[in-house]
PDB file of all heavy atoms in Angstrom:
ATOM      1  N   VAL A 274      30.455 177.302 244.624  1.00  0.00           N
ATOM      2  CA  VAL A 274      31.685 177.672 243.940  1.00  0.00           C
ATOM      3  C   VAL A 274      32.893 177.562 245.041  1.00  0.00           C
ATOM      4  O   VAL A 274      32.902 178.318 245.954  1.00  0.00           O
ATOM      5  CB  VAL A 274      31.738 179.119 243.352  1.00  0.00           C
ATOM      6  CG1 VAL A 274      33.084 179.450 242.770  1.00  0.00           C
ATOM      7  CG2 VAL A 274      30.484 179.189 242.496  1.00  0.00           C
ATOM      8  N   GLY A 275      33.577 176.375 244.874  1.00  0.00           N
ATOM      9  CA  GLY A 275      34.797 176.207 245.847  1.00  0.00           C
ATOM     10  C   GLY A 275      34.593 174.806 246.459  1.00  0.00           C
ATOM     11  O   GLY A 275      33.507 174.471 246.942  1.00  0.00           O
ATOM     12  N   ALA A 276      35.645 173.981 246.287  1.00  0.00           N
ATOM     13  CA  ALA A 276      35.541 172.627 246.776  1.00  0.00           C
ATOM     14  C   ALA A 276      36.491 172.353 247.872  1.00  0.00           C
ATOM     15  O   ALA A 276      37.164 171.361 248.062  1.00  0.00           O
ATOM     16  CB  ALA A 276      35.832 171.634 245.613  1.00  0.00           C
ATOM     17  N   GLY A 277      36.550 173.441 248.780  1.00  0.00           N
ATOM     18  CA  GLY A 277      37.288 173.240 250.091  1.00  0.00           C
ATOM     19  C   GLY A 277      36.358 172.796 251.150  1.00  0.00           C
ATOM     20  O   GLY A 277      35.285 172.189 250.862  1.00  0.00           O
ATOM     21  N   TRP A 278      36.784 172.845 252.423  1.00  0.00           N
ATOM     22  CA  TRP A 278      36.099 172.395 253.485  1.00  0.00           C
ATOM     23  C   TRP A 278      34.595 172.941 253.514  1.00  0.00           C
ATOM     24  O   TRP A 278      33.684 172.203 253.748  1.00  0.00           O
ATOM     25  CB  TRP A 278      36.762 172.623 254.853  1.00  0.00           C
ATOM     26  CG  TRP A 278      38.015 171.882 254.859  1.00  0.00           C
ATOM     27  CD1 TRP A 278      39.356 172.378 254.861  1.00  0.00           C
ATOM     28  CD2 TRP A 278      38.300 170.518 254.983  1.00  0.00           C
ATOM     29  NE1 TRP A 278      40.253 171.548 254.989  1.00  0.00           N
ATOM     30  CE2 TRP A 278      39.614 170.362 254.942  1.00  0.00           C
ATOM     31  CE3 TRP A 278      37.468 169.350 254.864  1.00  0.00           C
ATOM     32  CZ2 TRP A 278      40.227 168.997 254.926  1.00  0.00           C
ATOM     33  CZ3 TRP A 278      37.914 168.192 254.872  1.00  0.00           C
ATOM     34  CH2 TRP A 278      39.334 167.966 255.010  1.00  0.00           C
ATOM     35  N   ILE A 279      34.470 174.343 253.526  1.00  0.00           N
ATOM     36  CA  ILE A 279      33.208 174.947 253.527  1.00  0.00           C
ATOM     37  C   ILE A 279      32.389 174.520 252.333  1.00  0.00           C
ATOM     38  O   ILE A 279      31.162 174.063 252.561  1.00  0.00           O
ATOM     39  CB  ILE A 279      33.298 176.420 253.689  1.00  0.00           C
ATOM     40  CG1 ILE A 279      34.010 176.774 254.940  1.00  0.00           C
ATOM     41  CG2 ILE A 279      31.899 177.030 253.687  1.00  0.00           C
ATOM     42  CD1 ILE A 279      33.356 176.325 256.255  1.00  0.00           C
ATOM     43  N   GLY A 280      32.934 174.570 251.125  1.00  0.00           N
ATOM     44  CA  GLY A 280      32.109 174.121 250.045  1.00  0.00           C
ATOM     45  C   GLY A 280      31.580 172.640 250.181  1.00  0.00           C
ATOM     46  O   GLY A 280      30.438 172.518 249.833  1.00  0.00           O
ATOM     47  N   CYS A 281      32.488 171.891 250.584  1.00  0.00           N
ATOM     48  CA  CYS A 281      32.062 170.422 250.655  1.00  0.00           C
ATOM     49  C   CYS A 281      31.005 170.234 251.740  1.00  0.00           C
ATOM     50  O   CYS A 281      30.116 169.441 251.499  1.00  0.00           O
ATOM     51  CB  CYS A 281      33.221 169.577 250.896  1.00  0.00           C
ATOM     52  SG  CYS A 281      34.393 169.254 249.516  1.00  0.00           S
ATOM     53  N   GLU A 282      31.189 170.882 252.793  1.00  0.00           N
ATOM     54  CA  GLU A 282      30.105 170.684 253.888  1.00  0.00           C
ATOM     55  C   GLU A 282      28.837 171.363 253.530  1.00  0.00           C
ATOM     56  O   GLU A 282      27.715 170.847 253.861  1.00  0.00           O
ATOM     57  CB  GLU A 282      30.714 171.357 255.262  1.00  0.00           C
ATOM     58  CG  GLU A 282      31.829 170.573 255.808  1.00  0.00           C
ATOM     59  CD  GLU A 282      32.431 171.139 256.996  1.00  0.00           C
ATOM     60  OE1 GLU A 282      32.092 172.239 257.496  1.00  0.00           O
ATOM     61  OE2 GLU A 282      33.336 170.359 257.647  1.00  0.00           O
ATOM     62  N   VAL A 283      28.867 172.395 252.798  1.00  0.00           N
ATOM     63  CA  VAL A 283      27.578 173.013 252.318  1.00  0.00           C
ATOM     64  C   VAL A 283      26.909 172.094 251.318  1.00  0.00           C
ATOM     65  O   VAL A 283      25.688 171.848 251.401  1.00  0.00           O
ATOM     66  CB  VAL A 283      27.866 174.433 251.671  1.00  0.00           C
ATOM     67  CG1 VAL A 283      26.691 174.835 250.895  1.00  0.00           C
ATOM     68  CG2 VAL A 283      28.255 175.507 252.641  1.00  0.00           C
ATOM     69  N   ALA A 284      27.698 171.476 250.458  1.00  0.00           N
ATOM     70  CA  ALA A 284      27.228 170.553 249.541  1.00  0.00           C
ATOM     71  C   ALA A 284      26.464 169.423 250.186  1.00  0.00           C
ATOM     72  O   ALA A 284      25.413 168.861 249.797  1.00  0.00           O
ATOM     73  CB  ALA A 284      28.305 170.015 248.535  1.00  0.00           C
ATOM     74  N   ALA A 285      27.068 168.784 251.198  1.00  0.00           N
ATOM     75  CA  ALA A 285      26.568 167.690 251.947  1.00  0.00           C
ATOM     76  C   ALA A 285      25.261 168.030 252.617  1.00  0.00           C
ATOM     77  O   ALA A 285      24.293 167.291 252.769  1.00  0.00           O
ATOM     78  CB  ALA A 285      27.536 167.253 253.053  1.00  0.00           C
ATOM     79  N   ALA A 286      25.261 169.342 253.269  1.00  0.00           N
ATOM     80  CA  ALA A 286      24.025 169.811 254.000  1.00  0.00           C
ATOM     81  C   ALA A 286      22.878 169.989 252.939  1.00  0.00           C
ATOM     82  O   ALA A 286      21.686 169.682 253.222  1.00  0.00           O
ATOM     83  CB  ALA A 286      24.308 171.042 254.782  1.00  0.00           C
ATOM     84  N   ALA A 287      23.295 170.618 251.767  1.00  0.00           N
ATOM     85  CA  ALA A 287      22.284 170.805 250.716  1.00  0.00           C
ATOM     86  C   ALA A 287      21.577 169.500 250.309  1.00  0.00           C
ATOM     87  O   ALA A 287      20.430 169.395 250.005  1.00  0.00           O
ATOM     88  CB  ALA A 287      22.839 171.598 249.562  1.00  0.00           C
ATOM     89  N   ARG A 288      22.427 168.467 250.120  1.00  0.00           N
ATOM     90  CA  ARG A 288      21.898 167.170 249.717  1.00  0.00           C
ATOM     91  C   ARG A 288      20.931 166.525 250.699  1.00  0.00           C
ATOM     92  O   ARG A 288      19.937 166.005 250.551  1.00  0.00           O
ATOM     93  CB  ARG A 288      23.085 166.206 249.305  1.00  0.00           C
ATOM     94  CG  ARG A 288      23.782 166.521 248.146  1.00  0.00           C
ATOM     95  CD  ARG A 288      22.860 166.397 246.828  1.00  0.00           C
ATOM     96  NE  ARG A 288      22.422 165.105 246.698  1.00  0.00           N
ATOM     97  CZ  ARG A 288      21.143 164.863 246.423  1.00  0.00           C
ATOM     98  NH1 ARG A 288      20.274 165.756 246.167  1.00  0.00           N
ATOM     99  NH2 ARG A 288      20.721 163.598 246.151  1.00  0.00           N
ATOM    100  N   ARG A 289      21.357 166.848 252.049  1.00  0.00           N
ATOM    101  CA  ARG A 289      20.498 166.352 253.174  1.00  0.00           C
ATOM    102  C   ARG A 289      19.182 166.885 253.016  1.00  0.00           C
ATOM    103  O   ARG A 289      18.101 166.211 253.332  1.00  0.00           O
ATOM    104  CB  ARG A 289      21.222 166.710 254.450  1.00  0.00           C
ATOM    105  CG  ARG A 289      20.211 166.713 255.633  1.00  0.00           C
ATOM    106  CD  ARG A 289      19.940 165.261 256.337  1.00  0.00           C
ATOM    107  NE  ARG A 289      21.103 164.942 257.140  1.00  0.00           N
ATOM    108  CZ  ARG A 289      21.217 165.392 258.456  1.00  0.00           C
ATOM    109  NH1 ARG A 289      20.203 166.072 258.997  1.00  0.00           N
ATOM    110  NH2 ARG A 289      22.309 165.066 259.128  1.00  0.00           N
ATOM    111  N   HIS A 290      19.137 168.254 252.641  1.00  0.00           N
ATOM    112  CA  HIS A 290      17.770 168.842 252.493  1.00  0.00           C
ATOM    113  C   HIS A 290      16.993 168.642 251.213  1.00  0.00           C
ATOM    114  O   HIS A 290      15.968 169.162 250.954  1.00  0.00           O
ATOM    115  CB  HIS A 290      17.969 170.312 252.731  1.00  0.00           C
ATOM    116  CG  HIS A 290      18.266 170.738 254.084  1.00  0.00           C
ATOM    117  ND1 HIS A 290      17.645 170.612 255.193  1.00  0.00           N
ATOM    118  CD2 HIS A 290      19.533 171.273 254.580  1.00  0.00           C
ATOM    119  CE1 HIS A 290      18.207 171.084 256.294  1.00  0.00           C
ATOM    120  NE2 HIS A 290      19.321 171.434 255.900  1.00  0.00           N
ATOM    121  N   GLY A 291      17.646 167.777 250.423  1.00  0.00           N
ATOM    122  CA  GLY A 291      16.986 167.385 249.176  1.00  0.00           C
ATOM    123  C   GLY A 291      17.201 168.233 247.956  1.00  0.00           C
ATOM    124  O   GLY A 291      16.637 168.106 246.882  1.00  0.00           O
ATOM    125  N   ALA A 292      18.178 169.178 248.109  1.00  0.00           N
ATOM    126  CA  ALA A 292      18.586 170.077 247.003  1.00  0.00           C
ATOM    127  C   ALA A 292      19.467 169.390 245.990  1.00  0.00           C
ATOM    128  O   ALA A 292      20.128 168.382 246.315  1.00  0.00           O
ATOM    129  CB  ALA A 292      19.200 171.350 247.436  1.00  0.00           C
ATOM    130  N   SER A 293      19.356 169.773 244.666  1.00  0.00           N
ATOM    131  CA  SER A 293      20.332 169.313 243.703  1.00  0.00           C
ATOM    132  C   SER A 293      21.466 170.271 243.654  1.00  0.00           C
ATOM    133  O   SER A 293      21.320 171.402 243.890  1.00  0.00           O
ATOM    134  CB  SER A 293      19.668 169.288 242.298  1.00  0.00           C
ATOM    135  OG  SER A 293      19.489 170.653 241.936  1.00  0.00           O
ATOM    136  N   VAL A 294      22.728 169.549 243.644  1.00  0.00           N
ATOM    137  CA  VAL A 294      23.945 170.401 243.960  1.00  0.00           C
ATOM    138  C   VAL A 294      24.969 170.110 242.930  1.00  0.00           C
ATOM    139  O   VAL A 294      25.281 168.914 242.567  1.00  0.00           O
ATOM    140  CB  VAL A 294      24.584 169.898 245.365  1.00  0.00           C
ATOM    141  CG1 VAL A 294      25.794 170.672 245.628  1.00  0.00           C
ATOM    142  CG2 VAL A 294      23.525 170.137 246.490  1.00  0.00           C
ATOM    143  N   THR A 295      25.535 171.263 242.492  1.00  0.00           N
ATOM    144  CA  THR A 295      26.688 171.297 241.693  1.00  0.00           C
ATOM    145  C   THR A 295      27.849 171.972 242.271  1.00  0.00           C
ATOM    146  O   THR A 295      27.601 173.140 242.729  1.00  0.00           O
ATOM    147  CB  THR A 295      26.392 171.866 240.192  1.00  0.00           C
ATOM    148  OG1 THR A 295      25.284 171.138 239.576  1.00  0.00           O
ATOM    149  CG2 THR A 295      27.659 171.732 239.305  1.00  0.00           C
ATOM    150  N   VAL A 296      28.955 171.397 242.275  1.00  0.00           N
ATOM    151  CA  VAL A 296      30.147 172.105 242.837  1.00  0.00           C
ATOM    152  C   VAL A 296      31.095 172.335 241.778  1.00  0.00           C
ATOM    153  O   VAL A 296      31.550 171.568 241.034  1.00  0.00           O
ATOM    154  CB  VAL A 296      30.863 171.232 243.998  1.00  0.00           C
ATOM    155  CG1 VAL A 296      31.928 172.004 244.641  1.00  0.00           C
ATOM    156  CG2 VAL A 296      29.714 170.914 245.048  1.00  0.00           C
ATOM    157  N   ILE A 297      31.711 173.604 241.752  1.00  0.00           N
ATOM    158  CA  ILE A 297      32.669 174.089 240.870  1.00  0.00           C
ATOM    159  C   ILE A 297      33.919 174.358 241.380  1.00  0.00           C
ATOM    160  O   ILE A 297      33.983 174.920 242.579  1.00  0.00           O
ATOM    161  CB  ILE A 297      32.053 175.309 240.167  1.00  0.00           C
ATOM    162  CG1 ILE A 297      30.813 175.244 239.537  1.00  0.00           C
ATOM    163  CG2 ILE A 297      33.166 175.869 239.110  1.00  0.00           C
ATOM    164  CD1 ILE A 297      30.086 176.546 239.180  1.00  0.00           C
ATOM    165  N   ASP A 298      35.097 173.922 240.840  1.00  0.00           N
ATOM    166  CA  ASP A 298      36.444 174.327 241.289  1.00  0.00           C
ATOM    167  C   ASP A 298      37.479 174.193 240.177  1.00  0.00           C
ATOM    168  O   ASP A 298      37.426 173.217 239.377  1.00  0.00           O
ATOM    169  CB  ASP A 298      36.817 173.443 242.551  1.00  0.00           C
ATOM    170  CG  ASP A 298      37.872 174.105 243.351  1.00  0.00           C
ATOM    171  OD1 ASP A 298      39.070 174.174 242.784  1.00  0.00           O
ATOM    172  OD2 ASP A 298      37.640 174.548 244.563  1.00  0.00           O
ATOM    173  N   PRO A 299      38.322 175.185 240.062  1.00  0.00           N
ATOM    174  CA  PRO A 299      39.386 175.185 239.017  1.00  0.00           C
ATOM    175  C   PRO A 299      40.341 173.937 239.258  1.00  0.00           C
ATOM    176  O   PRO A 299      41.035 173.561 238.270  1.00  0.00           O
ATOM    177  CB  PRO A 299      39.996 176.438 238.927  1.00  0.00           C
ATOM    178  CG  PRO A 299      39.793 177.016 240.440  1.00  0.00           C
ATOM    179  CD  PRO A 299      38.442 176.439 240.757  1.00  0.00           C
ATOM    180  N   VAL A 300      40.518 173.491 240.478  1.00  0.00           N
ATOM    181  CA  VAL A 300      41.276 172.400 240.726  1.00  0.00           C
ATOM    182  C   VAL A 300      40.680 171.019 240.394  1.00  0.00           C
ATOM    183  O   VAL A 300      39.465 170.898 240.461  1.00  0.00           O
ATOM    184  CB  VAL A 300      41.766 172.411 242.279  1.00  0.00           C
ATOM    185  CG1 VAL A 300      42.662 171.246 242.639  1.00  0.00           C
ATOM    186  CG2 VAL A 300      42.390 173.653 242.507  1.00  0.00           C
ATOM    187  N   ASP A 301      41.472 170.037 240.059  1.00  0.00           N
ATOM    188  CA  ASP A 301      40.869 168.842 239.450  1.00  0.00           C
ATOM    189  C   ASP A 301      40.206 167.877 240.520  1.00  0.00           C
ATOM    190  O   ASP A 301      39.632 166.912 240.144  1.00  0.00           O
ATOM    191  CB  ASP A 301      41.867 168.007 238.636  1.00  0.00           C
ATOM    192  CG  ASP A 301      43.090 167.628 239.424  1.00  0.00           C
ATOM    193  OD1 ASP A 301      43.224 168.059 240.632  1.00  0.00           O
ATOM    194  OD2 ASP A 301      43.771 166.778 238.921  1.00  0.00           O
ATOM    195  N   LEU A 302      40.439 168.120 241.721  1.00  0.00           N
ATOM    196  CA  LEU A 302      39.948 167.314 242.909  1.00  0.00           C
ATOM    197  C   LEU A 302      39.621 168.167 243.977  1.00  0.00           C
ATOM    198  O   LEU A 302      40.315 169.090 244.464  1.00  0.00           O
ATOM    199  CB  LEU A 302      41.019 166.264 243.249  1.00  0.00           C
ATOM    200  CG  LEU A 302      41.299 165.049 242.396  1.00  0.00           C
ATOM    201  CD1 LEU A 302      42.417 164.282 242.802  1.00  0.00           C
ATOM    202  CD2 LEU A 302      40.057 164.148 242.279  1.00  0.00           C
ATOM    203  N   PRO A 303      38.544 167.775 244.856  1.00  0.00           N
ATOM    204  CA  PRO A 303      38.269 168.572 246.098  1.00  0.00           C
ATOM    205  C   PRO A 303      39.357 168.457 247.094  1.00  0.00           C
ATOM    206  O   PRO A 303      39.938 167.398 247.179  1.00  0.00           O
ATOM    207  CB  PRO A 303      36.915 167.945 246.465  1.00  0.00           C
ATOM    208  CG  PRO A 303      36.912 166.595 245.880  1.00  0.00           C
ATOM    209  CD  PRO A 303      37.587 166.744 244.665  1.00  0.00           C
ATOM    210  N   LEU A 304      39.582 169.441 247.795  1.00  0.00           N
ATOM    211  CA  LEU A 304      40.529 169.480 248.963  1.00  0.00           C
ATOM    212  C   LEU A 304      41.985 169.001 248.543  1.00  0.00           C
ATOM    213  O   LEU A 304      42.764 168.660 249.412  1.00  0.00           O
ATOM    214  CB  LEU A 304      40.034 168.487 249.978  1.00  0.00           C
ATOM    215  CG  LEU A 304      38.672 168.937 250.538  1.00  0.00           C
ATOM    216  CD1 LEU A 304      37.866 167.774 251.322  1.00  0.00           C
ATOM    217  CD2 LEU A 304      38.668 170.108 251.357  1.00  0.00           C
ATOM    218  N   ARG A 305      42.317 169.013 247.287  1.00  0.00           N
ATOM    219  CA  ARG A 305      43.651 168.542 246.794  1.00  0.00           C
ATOM    220  C   ARG A 305      44.796 169.279 247.548  1.00  0.00           C
ATOM    221  O   ARG A 305      45.781 168.708 247.944  1.00  0.00           O
ATOM    222  CB  ARG A 305      43.678 168.590 245.308  1.00  0.00           C
ATOM    223  CG  ARG A 305      45.124 168.314 244.742  1.00  0.00           C
ATOM    224  CD  ARG A 305      45.149 168.056 243.331  1.00  0.00           C
ATOM    225  NE  ARG A 305      46.484 167.508 242.949  1.00  0.00           N
ATOM    226  CZ  ARG A 305      46.738 166.722 242.022  1.00  0.00           C
ATOM    227  NH1 ARG A 305      45.792 166.365 241.120  1.00  0.00           N
ATOM    228  NH2 ARG A 305      48.031 166.389 241.677  1.00  0.00           N
ATOM    229  N   ARG A 306      44.594 170.630 247.575  1.00  0.00           N
ATOM    230  CA  ARG A 306      45.775 171.349 248.149  1.00  0.00           C
ATOM    231  C   ARG A 306      46.079 170.945 249.538  1.00  0.00           C
ATOM    232  O   ARG A 306      47.174 171.061 250.052  1.00  0.00           O
ATOM    233  CB  ARG A 306      45.417 172.912 248.144  1.00  0.00           C
ATOM    234  CG  ARG A 306      45.327 173.433 246.681  1.00  0.00           C
ATOM    235  CD  ARG A 306      45.095 174.925 246.704  1.00  0.00           C
ATOM    236  NE  ARG A 306      45.085 175.510 245.407  1.00  0.00           N
ATOM    237  CZ  ARG A 306      43.933 175.680 244.773  1.00  0.00           C
ATOM    238  NH1 ARG A 306      42.726 175.480 245.345  1.00  0.00           N
ATOM    239  NH2 ARG A 306      43.923 176.326 243.613  1.00  0.00           N
ATOM    240  N   VAL A 307      45.057 170.611 250.374  1.00  0.00           N
ATOM    241  CA  VAL A 307      45.223 170.163 251.726  1.00  0.00           C
ATOM    242  C   VAL A 307      45.605 168.724 251.962  1.00  0.00           C
ATOM    243  O   VAL A 307      46.438 168.378 252.704  1.00  0.00           O
ATOM    244  CB  VAL A 307      44.013 170.498 252.594  1.00  0.00           C
ATOM    245  CG1 VAL A 307      44.164 170.087 254.034  1.00  0.00           C
ATOM    246  CG2 VAL A 307      43.660 171.965 252.480  1.00  0.00           C
ATOM    247  N   LEU A 308      44.973 167.869 251.150  1.00  0.00           N
ATOM    248  CA  LEU A 308      45.007 166.467 251.343  1.00  0.00           C
ATOM    249  C   LEU A 308      45.810 165.592 250.304  1.00  0.00           C
ATOM    250  O   LEU A 308      45.996 164.468 250.445  1.00  0.00           O
ATOM    251  CB  LEU A 308      43.642 165.729 251.419  1.00  0.00           C
ATOM    252  CG  LEU A 308      42.756 166.431 252.660  1.00  0.00           C
ATOM    253  CD1 LEU A 308      41.418 165.731 252.627  1.00  0.00           C
ATOM    254  CD2 LEU A 308      43.531 166.260 253.955  1.00  0.00           C
ATOM    255  N   GLY A 309      46.037 166.287 249.122  1.00  0.00           N
ATOM    256  CA  GLY A 309      46.661 165.567 248.052  1.00  0.00           C
ATOM    257  C   GLY A 309      45.700 164.763 247.105  1.00  0.00           C
ATOM    258  O   GLY A 309      44.499 164.765 247.483  1.00  0.00           O
ATOM    259  N   PRO A 310      46.210 164.304 246.049  1.00  0.00           N
ATOM    260  CA  PRO A 310      45.301 163.668 245.134  1.00  0.00           C
ATOM    261  C   PRO A 310      44.476 162.387 245.678  1.00  0.00           C
ATOM    262  O   PRO A 310      43.271 162.312 245.316  1.00  0.00           O
ATOM    263  CB  PRO A 310      46.234 163.277 243.898  1.00  0.00           C
ATOM    264  CG  PRO A 310      47.657 163.245 244.531  1.00  0.00           C
ATOM    265  CD  PRO A 310      47.579 164.187 245.593  1.00  0.00           C
ATOM    266  N   ARG A 311      45.177 161.503 246.278  1.00  0.00           N
ATOM    267  CA  ARG A 311      44.482 160.265 246.654  1.00  0.00           C
ATOM    268  C   ARG A 311      43.310 160.583 247.597  1.00  0.00           C
ATOM    269  O   ARG A 311      42.194 159.995 247.455  1.00  0.00           O
ATOM    270  CB  ARG A 311      45.384 159.303 247.223  1.00  0.00           C
ATOM    271  CG  ARG A 311      44.721 157.838 247.440  1.00  0.00           C
ATOM    272  CD  ARG A 311      45.683 156.826 247.838  1.00  0.00           C
ATOM    273  NE  ARG A 311      45.092 155.571 248.103  1.00  0.00           N
ATOM    274  CZ  ARG A 311      45.604 154.472 248.677  1.00  0.00           C
ATOM    275  NH1 ARG A 311      46.872 154.597 249.207  1.00  0.00           N
ATOM    276  NH2 ARG A 311      44.959 153.452 248.949  1.00  0.00           N
ATOM    277  N   MET A 312      43.623 161.411 248.601  1.00  0.00           N
ATOM    278  CA  MET A 312      42.506 161.695 249.645  1.00  0.00           C
ATOM    279  C   MET A 312      41.524 162.575 248.956  1.00  0.00           C
ATOM    280  O   MET A 312      40.331 162.543 249.259  1.00  0.00           O
ATOM    281  CB  MET A 312      43.152 162.375 250.793  1.00  0.00           C
ATOM    282  CG  MET A 312      44.074 161.476 251.699  1.00  0.00           C
ATOM    283  SD  MET A 312      43.150 160.048 252.305  1.00  0.00           S
ATOM    284  CE  MET A 312      43.712 158.660 251.238  1.00  0.00           C
TER     285      MET A 312
END
């Protein structure tokens, strides 16, 4: 729950370990508040 820096890094680590991962966020893009829509 959360598509900020920690959420994205946790997702990446979980996939490395072979877990199935779903990420939830009310914003329409990960990291949008920091990096904007294109990034």
Side-chain angles (χ1 to χ4, degrees):
V274 180
W278 295 114
I279 297 299
C281 286
E282 290 177 355
V283 167
R288 290 297 298 137
R289 161 83 79 87
H290 292 294
S293 66
V294 179
T295 301
V296 181
I297 307 164
D298 199 290
V300 178
D301 63 345
L302 288 167
L304 302 164
R305 176 168 184 153
R306 293 188 180 95
V307 181
L308 302 180
R311 189 175 179 193
M312 293 298 105

